[in-house]
Amino acid sequence: MKALGMIETIGLIGAIEATDTALKTADVEILNQHFVKGGIVTVELTGDVAAVRVAVEAGEEAARKLGSFVKSHVIARPGEMIGEMLEDKKEEKEEENQVIEEIKNPEEPVEVLKVLEVEAKEEIVSKIVKNNKSKN
């Protein structure tokens, strides 16, 4: 895995501003975002070490201007297990988003239920419900 940069803000507006600035400042990519309790949002960026450092510093400054900056950190060479952990979370999030879209906009509700394996669907839906409860 390339370098990992994290910017943490209070509120989504600060996170969006910080991320936008970071992406425009250096050649980095968004790896993931996390919505934590209390309105805290963490954005993960990845790229070359120098690019991530510059991007995180720029994003931090943008969030500070809005008064929403909490913390930032760069890990130059994250361990292999960290990369795997982050990729697993990214895949879970994509799977959850797909299920949400299928539930919101089913072409044929019965067919959607047939396509999804019952156990996998129940697990994903329970995660969604659990996440929604924890947000409230």
Side-chain angles (χ1 to χ4, degrees), residues 4-21:
L4 172 66
M6 297 161 282
I7 304 170
E8 196 166 77
T9 66
I10 295 176
L12 186 59
I13 293 172
I16 291 171
E17 179 66 22
T19 305
D20 181 56
T21 302

Side-chain angles (χ1 to χ4, degrees), residues 1-2 4 14 24 27 36-37 44 51 54 60 62 67 70 77 81 84 96-97 103 108 111 117-118 134:
M1 177 179 195
K2 298 178 180 182
L4 172 66
K24 290 176 179 175
D27 186 22
V36 187
K37 290 182 180 177
E44 298 169 350
V54 168
E60 177 182 331
V70 175
R77 292 184 312 128
M81 296 298 287
E84 290 174 15
E96 286 177 12
N97 289 339
I103 290 170
E108 296 179 39
E111 290 301 316
E117 293 181 30
V118 173
S134 68

Side-chain angles (χ1 to χ4, degrees), residues 58-92:
E60 177 182 331
E61 184 60 34
R64 280 186 195 279
K65 287 180 182 177
L66 292 176
S68 65
F69 177 72
V70 175
K71 187 79 176 158
S72 67
H73 187 66
V74 174
I75 302 174
R77 292 184 312 128
E80 189 175 308
M81 296 298 287
I82 298 296
E84 290 174 15
M85 177 184 77
L86 295 174
E87 285 300 317
D88 288 346
K89 295 289 183 192
K90 186 175 182 180
E91 289 171 8
E92 283 178 20

Side-chain angles (χ1 to χ4, degrees), residues 24-131:
K24 290 176 179 175
T25 302
D27 186 22
V28 295
E29 296 177 3
I30 299 172
L31 185 60
N32 208 342
Q33 79 275 342
H34 304 277
F35 298 95
V36 187
K37 290 182 180 177
I40 295 176
V41 181
T42 303
V43 178
E44 298 169 350
L45 305 169
T46 188
D48 294 331
V49 177
V52 171
R53 287 189 194 281
V54 168
V56 167
E57 287 174 8
E60 177 182 331
E61 184 60 34
R64 280 186 195 279
K65 287 180 182 177
L66 292 176
S68 65
F69 177 72
V70 175
K71 187 79 176 158
S72 67
H73 187 66
V74 174
I75 302 174
R77 292 184 312 128
E80 189 175 308
M81 296 298 287
I82 298 296
E84 290 174 15
M85 177 184 77
L86 295 174
E87 285 300 317
D88 288 346
K89 295 289 183 192
K90 186 175 182 180
E91 289 171 8
E92 283 178 20
K93 186 75 170 173
E94 289 170 356
E95 194 173 274
E96 286 177 12
N97 289 339
Q98 180 182 359
V99 170
I100 289 170
E101 284 305 311
E102 288 175 355
I103 290 170
K104 285 181 179 176
N105 305 311
E107 293 173 14
E108 296 179 39
V110 176
E111 290 301 316
V112 171
L113 295 176
K114 287 179 182 176
V115 172
L116 296 172
E117 293 181 30
V118 173
E119 291 177 15
K121 179 182 173 271
E122 288 175 357
E123 181 180 336
I124 292 168
V125 170
S126 69
K127 284 181 183 179
I128 293 167
V129 170
K130 181 180 175 185
N131 287 339

